[in-house]
Amino acid sequence: MDDLRLALLLNAVSPAVGGVLVRGEKGTAKSTAVRALAALMPDVDVVAGCRFSCAPGAPDPGCPDGPHEAAPGTARPARMVELPVGASEDRLVGALDIERALADGVKAFEPGLLADAHRGVLYVDEVNLLHDHLVDLLLDAAAMGASYVEREGVSVRHAARFLLVGTMNPEEGELRPQLLDRFGLTVEVAASREPEQRVEVVRRRLAYDDDPAAFAARWADEETALRERIAAARTLLPRVGLGDAALRQIAATCAAFEVDGMRADIVMARTATALAAWAGRTDVREEDVRQAALLALPHRRRRNPFDAPGLDEDKLDETLERFGGDDRPDPDTDPDPDPGTDPSGPDGGPGGGGVPPQGQGPESGPPAEQPEPPEPPAGQPEPSEPAGAPAAGAGAGDRSAERAAEPFRTKVLSVPGLGEGAAGRRSRARTEHGRTTGARRPQGALTKLHLAATVRAAAPHQRARGRSGPGLVVRRDDLRQATREGREGNLVLFVVDASGSMAARRRMGSVKGAVLSLLLDAYQRRDKVGLVTFRGTGAEVALPPTSSVDAAAARLEELPTGGRTPLAAGLLKAHDVLRVERLRDPSRRPLLVVVTDGRATGARGSDALALAGRAARLHAAEGTAAVVVDCEAGPVRLGLAGNLARELGGAAVTLDELRADSIAGLVRDVRAATTGTDSTVRNRRAA
């Protein structure tokens, strides 16, 4: 927890650092540590009676409660405001009384959480599960330092500068890159594996449960000393000097790790300055720059959600040494690192940024090219495992996991119709955000006013209501809620053939690359994903439906191949998974993606293809949207994947057609291949 404590304290010393993102496994006291920060924050002076925490010396000129006259302020503790994952937009930014605004022209505004958090801390637990529309509002407020509430021409603005702190469990999914970059620092937290430390944790927790007051009194002196040290560091901070040598090291470090934009340089400079003030110094040293890099860069050097956050500490030390000192070094000189050093750094663990980045080291390059086996003669099917091949997970039928090919941008696969699921970016749905498609009477609180429909409802009653002036007499029954259409996230369930027929001619690398590309697309579109694999004698759920797309990618990389092709078992297992998920989240519509060449084998004497067809018709009967990614290769094609797609009531697309830049075909809807209409044929020819 040392890095977590340091990151929180540095933000208490200098809120300009930009907040902290705490990543870690469940049960590691992430939330407890963050909530403890509130007791250490210095008090803030505010204008008496101002709901927006204006500073007495420099009140916000646009404050809705203003203008404020010059007067001494009142001191109050800094606030720790928690944003629930399921909060509404009105709860976050505040709400206007639309009825009073239309009828009386009065801006009756109820402040939201952003107003409460101004000049304090905004804490988001499970920040990676926050809905996209709330993330957009947070990004706007963090970028402008203000919150805007716009409702049909009526607007309210107030200052909203806060310290953003978030906690998350990476197993439940990653953050959007834009929000990730808004956190100044990031730390990785893991439970100690030392028995003595774990014993002390349990002992303190039990002591707190027995007598919270006595436990707090035991640590009161230490908290007081810590609070005084924070205040002293804040006082010293303006006198800390950041020399040119330290600035060159900061710039060189950010360039060496190829981080995007300039925010990393600024955050590192502010963090290094806060570290010096925390240590009681007025000069920034190399160790401050190094520690700032370990806290500010790991989450910024990720290139995609499948990269593990971390920093190569050997590369960091080499960069700092090369650009250290007062003299500008010769950029052409590049000392060779010690070939015996470990690229993972001395710690190799979380918190210190000692996780080596992906893409470095001899094992991260592209796999050595292997000669392709000769194609089978024309008219002969691909080789498959013999009838006596062992079951999945054992025996000579297994092959080691093959590395995935390079991912690519895929075409959009969507679910037909109009859903009502969680906000996302894949399929059409009725949502709170998007284009306005109509109006209805509000059910509960009014959130999105349809002005034209409201005026039409109120207009016929103006004489009966005694209207005598220019204002429109509006009553609650006249208000109309705008209905909007946007995009939803879906449950994308992958059913992947890992049998011996898929391993033939080393196709599994291309198949994994295609699934990895679809997983990356699912991450960007805010979907849940699941993974079912089948091989040998049965199927298994390699990953239950989750928001953690990188967990699915990790399971995919480890997937071995070999054995028979129990296609029917894979489809039936997928049917069971979707049945359970419909009970858990009935509003989230599924998209079934079957990755196979269409072959099927089973027990001797059974018709494996007929069994697979019956299993596919179960999905079709329930209206499950489906796509079959046809992995068949070679000059002779049996067309089995296309037959499976017809049984599923979905579309079939080849690996080449799956690419967004492919000219072979265009998959706009999962049922396009099954309509059989002339328009579909014309669309396919045009594509």
Side-chain angles (χ1 to χ4, degrees):
M1 306 290 286
D2 290 342
D3 284 346
L4 172 57
R5 293 174 69 251
L6 179 61
L8 292 173
L9 291 170
L10 291 177
N11 276 274
V13 171
S14 175
V17 167
V20 186
L21 174 64
V22 187
R23 299 164 46 95
E25 58 196 25
K26 51 189 174 291
T28 48
K30 301 185 296 293
S31 301
T32 302
V34 171
R35 292 189 178 102
L37 178 64
L40 301 176
M41 297 285 287
D43 292 346
V44 294
D45 291 329
V46 298
V47 173
C50 178
R51 298 174 297 167
F52 302 89
S53 302
C54 283
D60 180 11
C63 176
D65 285 354
H68 299 298
E69 297 180 357
T74 60
R76 64 159 175 80
R79 290 173 179 164
M80 168 80 71
V81 178
E82 294 195 33
L83 171 60
V85 170
S88 66
E89 178 180 343
D90 287 346
R91 185 72 187 96
L92 178 62
V93 300
L96 285 171
D97 189 330
I98 302 297
E99 186 175 355
R100 290 189 62 190
L102 287 176
D104 306 327
V106 176
K107 293 183 180 180
F109 181 69
E110 184 66 28
L113 296 176
L114 290 180
D116 294 340
H118 179 48
R119 303 179 66 202
V121 179
L122 182 63
Y123 170 48
V124 189
D125 194 12
E126 305 295 348
V127 64
N128 51 325
L129 303 183
L130 200 63
H131 291 302
D132 271 2
H133 66 283
L134 297 182
V135 171
D136 293 337
L137 293 171
L138 275 181
L139 289 173
D140 289 342
M144 297 183 293
S147 174
Y148 292 84
V149 182
E150 304 281 350
R151 291 291 170 84
E152 306 297 342
V154 181
S155 65
V156 172
R157 173 211 168 274
H158 65 83
R161 290 182 294 274
F162 48 83
L163 186 64
L164 184 61
V165 179
T167 56
M168 60 173 284
N169 183 352
E171 295 177 354
E172 297 174 339
E174 287 293 344
L175 277 177
R176 282 172 52 182
Q178 296 92 332
L179 182 57
L180 187 65
D181 191 49
R182 284 292 172 186
F183 287 97
L185 310 179
T186 185
V187 291
E188 295 278 338
V189 178
S192 172
R193 298 297 183 257
E194 294 294 331
E196 290 303 320
Q197 291 186 10
R198 298 175 74 94
V199 166
E200 183 62 21
V201 170
V202 175
R203 184 181 290 118
R204 293 188 186 184
R205 175 69 201 199
L206 295 178
Y208 174 82
D209 291 340
D210 290 341
D211 192 345
F215 185 86
R218 174 186 171 188
W219 299 97
D221 291 343
E222 185 171 332
E223 281 197 354
T224 300
L226 201 55
R227 193 179 300 110
E228 292 174 352
R229 184 177 175 186
I230 292 173
R234 278 194 169 191
T235 303
L236 181 63
L237 185 64
R239 303 203 305 271
V240 176
L242 186 65
D244 289 343
L247 278 173
R248 283 201 301 271
Q249 287 182 319
I250 290 171
T253 300
C254 293
F257 286 98
E258 300 179 354
V259 296
D260 295 330
M262 295 296 299
R263 184 172 285 117
D265 304 63
I266 297 171
V267 170
M268 273 190 65
R270 291 170 174 168
T271 305
T273 304
L275 281 163
W278 179 247
R281 291 184 271 101
T282 58
D283 61 311
V284 174
R285 301 177 181 174
E286 182 175 309
E287 57 264 30
D288 300 325
V289 176
R290 186 181 192 277
Q291 184 63 57
L294 294 176
L295 293 173
L297 297 188
H299 62 302
R300 290 187 166 89
R301 57 151 299 274
R302 303 181 72 194
R303 287 294 176 263
N304 63 65
F306 309 137
D307 288 342
L311 219 58
D312 185 342
E313 294 195 32
D314 284 351
K315 182 177 180 180
L316 173 61
D317 291 336
E318 177 189 336
T319 303
L320 293 176
E321 181 179 356
R322 180 183 176 191
F323 288 89
D326 295 330
D327 297 329
R328 185 178 299 274
D330 182 3
D332 296 331
T333 60
D334 186 8
D336 293 329
D338 182 4
T341 56
D342 181 4
S344 64
D347 297 332
V355 181
Q358 292 187 6
Q360 296 183 10
E363 298 181 358
S364 62
E369 298 205 2
Q370 302 289 340
E372 290 287 339
E375 296 282 342
Q380 293 187 16
E382 297 183 29
S384 60
E385 294 295 323
D398 285 351
R399 306 183 188 214
S400 60
E402 189 168 345
R403 297 193 61 182
E406 190 70 21
F408 52 84
R409 189 167 63 91
T410 67
K411 291 194 173 74
V412 179
L413 307 178
S414 61
V415 178
L418 194 62
E420 296 182 347
R425 299 179 180 179
R426 183 172 296 278
S427 305
R428 294 173 55 220
R430 298 182 185 91
T431 62
E432 288 294 323
H433 301 269
R435 63 185 181 90
T436 302
T437 58
R440 60 174 174 81
R441 290 183 180 272
Q443 300 171 352
L446 179 71
T447 56
K448 296 291 183 181
L449 178 74
H450 195 296
L451 181 58
T454 299
V455 172
R456 285 196 300 267
H461 309 290
Q462 296 305 297
R463 179 173 296 180
R465 294 173 182 174
R467 173 185 170 185
S468 58
L472 188 68
V473 181
V474 179
R475 295 180 179 173
R476 182 164 296 277
D477 289 343
D478 302 327
L479 300 179
R480 294 294 183 267
Q481 174 84 24
T483 57
R484 304 196 175 196
E485 182 179 313
R487 294 281 170 177
E488 68 177 358
N490 298 113
L491 166 59
V492 183
L493 182 62
F494 294 92
V495 182
V496 180
D497 184 350
S499 65
S501 65
M502 294 293 290
R505 295 207 309 267
R506 301 188 183 277
R507 279 182 294 163
M508 203 59 195
S510 299
V511 170
K512 285 185 176 182
V515 178
L516 199 64
S517 304
L518 291 168
L519 284 172
L520 184 59
D521 181 68
Y523 163 77
Q524 295 168 343
R525 300 187 186 280
R526 314 305 288 173
D527 295 317
K528 290 180 68 175
V529 296
L531 180 63
V532 173
T533 63
F534 59 94
R535 56 190 285 268
T537 59
E540 65 174 353
V541 181
L543 183 71
T546 176
S547 297
S548 180
V549 177
D550 51 344
R555 301 290 175 88
L556 181 72
E557 283 287 350
E558 300 167 358
L559 181 65
T561 57
R564 295 180 177 179
T565 313
L567 177 57
L571 294 173
L572 291 174
K573 181 66 73 174
H575 183 268
D576 291 341
V577 172
L578 294 181
R579 176 178 56 82
V580 173
E581 286 301 310
R582 284 190 181 98
L583 296 175
R584 291 177 176 171
D585 190 358
S587 63
R588 188 181 289 269
R589 297 186 295 164
L591 173 62
L592 185 68
V593 179
V594 185
V595 185
T596 181
D597 56 9
R599 288 175 170 80
T601 58
R604 190 179 299 276
S606 64
D607 190 342
L609 285 177
L611 291 174
R614 290 173 57 187
R617 289 192 290 274
L618 282 177
H619 290 280
E622 295 184 352
T624 302
V627 173
V628 177
V629 179
D630 185 359
C631 303
E632 193 172 26
V636 178
R637 297 176 181 266
L638 303 181
L640 298 177
N643 295 337
L644 177 63
R646 284 187 286 274
E647 296 282 9
L648 286 167
V653 55
T654 66
L655 290 175
D656 288 337
E657 292 171 341
L658 191 62
R659 294 179 177 270
D661 55 355
S662 169
I663 61 173
L666 179 61
V667 180
R668 291 195 180 275
D669 196 274
V670 295
R671 58 184 180 181
T674 62
T675 59
T677 62
D678 294 339
S679 60
T680 302
V681 174
R682 286 195 299 270
N683 289 339
R684 284 176 170 273
R685 288 175 178 172

